[in-house]
Amino acid sequence: MDHSAHFSQEKLIFHGKQSPEKGTIVGYAAIVDTLNLPMPMVSPIALVCDQNKNYQTNEWLILPKSYLPEDNEELEEVEALYKHLVFALKYEGVNLLLFSCLIKYYSEDRLTKLVSFEPTGQYSRRIWFIIEWLLGKELEGKENLSKKSYVSVVDVNQQYSVEGVKSSRHLVLNNFPGTPDFCPMIKKTEKLENYINDHLSNRKNEYFKGVHKEIIQRASAFLLLKDSKASFSIEGESAKSKRAARWGQVIGQAGTKELSEEELGRLQQVVIENSRFIEMGIRKKGGFVGEHDRVTGDPLPEHISAKWEDVPQLIHGLIEANKILINSEIDAVLAATIIAFGFVFIHPFEDGNGRIHRYLIHHILAKKQFSQQGIIFPVSASILDHIDDYRKVLEAYSHPLLDHIEWEETKDHNVIVKNQTVDYYRYFDFTVQAEFLYDCVFDTIENIIPTELLYITNYDEFKREIDDTYEMPDRLIALLVKFLGQNNGVLSRRAKEKEFSELTEKEVKAIEKLYGDIFE
């Protein structure tokens, strides 16, 4: 017999957060807290207000008191749980990490009981499908349904999904954007919807209308190198020209090869120039991102990588999810978010993860035809320009998990993870990461690409004028533009005395004016 349980909680302070209204904590947050599930607290936290208020912030979902789920001492625990799960599916979307915790917390008998309330109802069917999908098997005692219309497991008004496959047993349309081995979710937000409805890819193509093909090719070549250098700079490494050019060539091939474990291995080999001190391929030991204490050498993790034993399964799941996303109509930037950020959080390699992560953004944008073929989309350059925001979106995932990962230091000052953590790397919410990536895509389209096209057009005009008047060699013109750009359109005394000593003061003034008229 189940014991009675209250999931609803009336607290003004909840997990260190001050409630903005007097009311009752319900839904996923109440379940996580009551059952002490081993997962970060959900966000936003659902609170049914004592007053008739309805609004949302980053941390809170405030709903009127009429939304309060039934939860009293007369209800058995699993029935009270069912009421809160129905509430959560209605107003919070699907949280796969929470469901994965529930199937470990309860016995299969309890889970069967959980999905036996309102057995033909849409929420009961969705809960039933999610549980069996995660378990990988059918619950005993549950018979197939019939004579009901299909309902989507992911509410398309709340979260992004794919077209889906019908499950006749549950009469549910499985529109998850992944597999049980890897399935991040993204919430529908006003910001993301505005970006998607703005059709940014079409706007990008407008910049190329009327621009000579040769200028587009030169801009693309420069942006390719710029993006490659930016990817190295993000890692805090110097991008020597040869190395950056080599990686740029790889970025230029994005979208031409299918994603596989072998392809990921090939990319790592290109990234890592000298592998003498690195074990290449899928890790066979723990890993973390962070620093070491300068005195003791103790690891100071900012992010702990997936257990090496779990990496093959996670990478297999990621590759299968990638196939689903590539073959679906889901937005290209959202698909790139799921695969690229999923990869970097798994951190399957000892080194090279960050650059491959950013390559995967290029790969999926090209594969889903967001990027024009042959024109590099320099999103890494925008990420570098917003490096602090980039770190914050990485930490938004990593930091909450640190409290739930049990690790010990190894003799070589690495980490070894002691508890089961695989679900943390396959079920999570990527809304923050998707909004950041779309910001960078927007910045790339509105600023980086037009700026480069304009620069090349201006450069060519400046070069023609200098050629006509001074017959200066191309190499010297390039140096002239560089010096003028570095010194706010004025040629320095050193440059006038050395490289451009042949020019008179009157000619220098004329060149400076020409540069200002064209470039500024």
Side-chain angles (χ1 to χ4, degrees), residues 33-190:
D33 187 77
T34 301
L35 301 182
N36 195 25
L37 298 180
M39 60 177 285
M41 181 46 65
V42 299
S43 182
I45 295 165
L47 181 141
V48 173
C49 184
D50 288 351
Q51 298 176 309
N52 196 31
K53 293 185 178 181
N54 191 332
Y55 64 91
Q56 185 170 345
T57 67
N58 288 336
E59 295 185 336
W60 296 90
L61 171 63
I62 308 298
L63 293 169
K65 55 186 176 183
S66 59
Y67 286 58
L68 189 68
E70 185 183 355
D71 183 2
N72 54 58
E73 293 291 345
E74 295 176 6
L75 292 180
E76 295 177 327
E77 179 177 328
V78 288
E79 187 174 3
L81 172 64
Y82 172 76
K83 301 285 187 184
H84 281 270
L85 287 175
V86 169
F87 171 93
L89 289 178
K90 279 183 182 178
Y91 308 113
E92 300 180 73
V94 177
N95 187 315
L96 285 172
L97 181 56
L98 182 137
F99 274 97
S100 75
C101 289
L102 285 181
I103 65 176
K104 295 178 181 69
Y105 186 91
Y106 287 107
S107 67
E108 286 193 29
D109 286 345
R110 291 278 186 96
L111 295 173
T112 301
K113 189 170 187 178
L114 174 66
V115 297
S116 298
F117 301 104
E118 305 174 317
T120 60
Q122 63 159 307
Y123 295 103
S124 181
R125 283 186 280 151
R126 289 169 67 190
I127 294 167
W128 175 28
F129 175 82
I130 293 167
I131 288 171
E132 291 194 343
W133 190 69
L134 293 174
L135 277 174
K137 63 178 183 179
E138 296 181 357
L139 293 170
E140 289 186 18
K142 283 293 292 181
E143 300 295 329
N144 293 4
L145 290 179
S146 60
K147 298 180 182 177
K148 275 278 181 181
S149 58
Y150 280 81
V151 60
S152 296
V153 67
V154 178
D155 185 337
V156 297
N157 295 312
Q158 292 177 318
Q159 292 166 298
Y160 294 100
S161 63
V162 297
E163 291 74 21
V165 178
K166 288 180 177 179
S167 169
S168 57
R169 171 171 166 80
H170 313 85
L171 293 176
V172 160
L173 183 70
N174 173 15
N175 56 343
F176 276 130
T179 75
D181 284 335
F182 182 82
C183 191
M185 304 292 290
I186 299 173
K187 293 188 182 81
K188 281 197 173 178
T189 65
E190 184 179 0

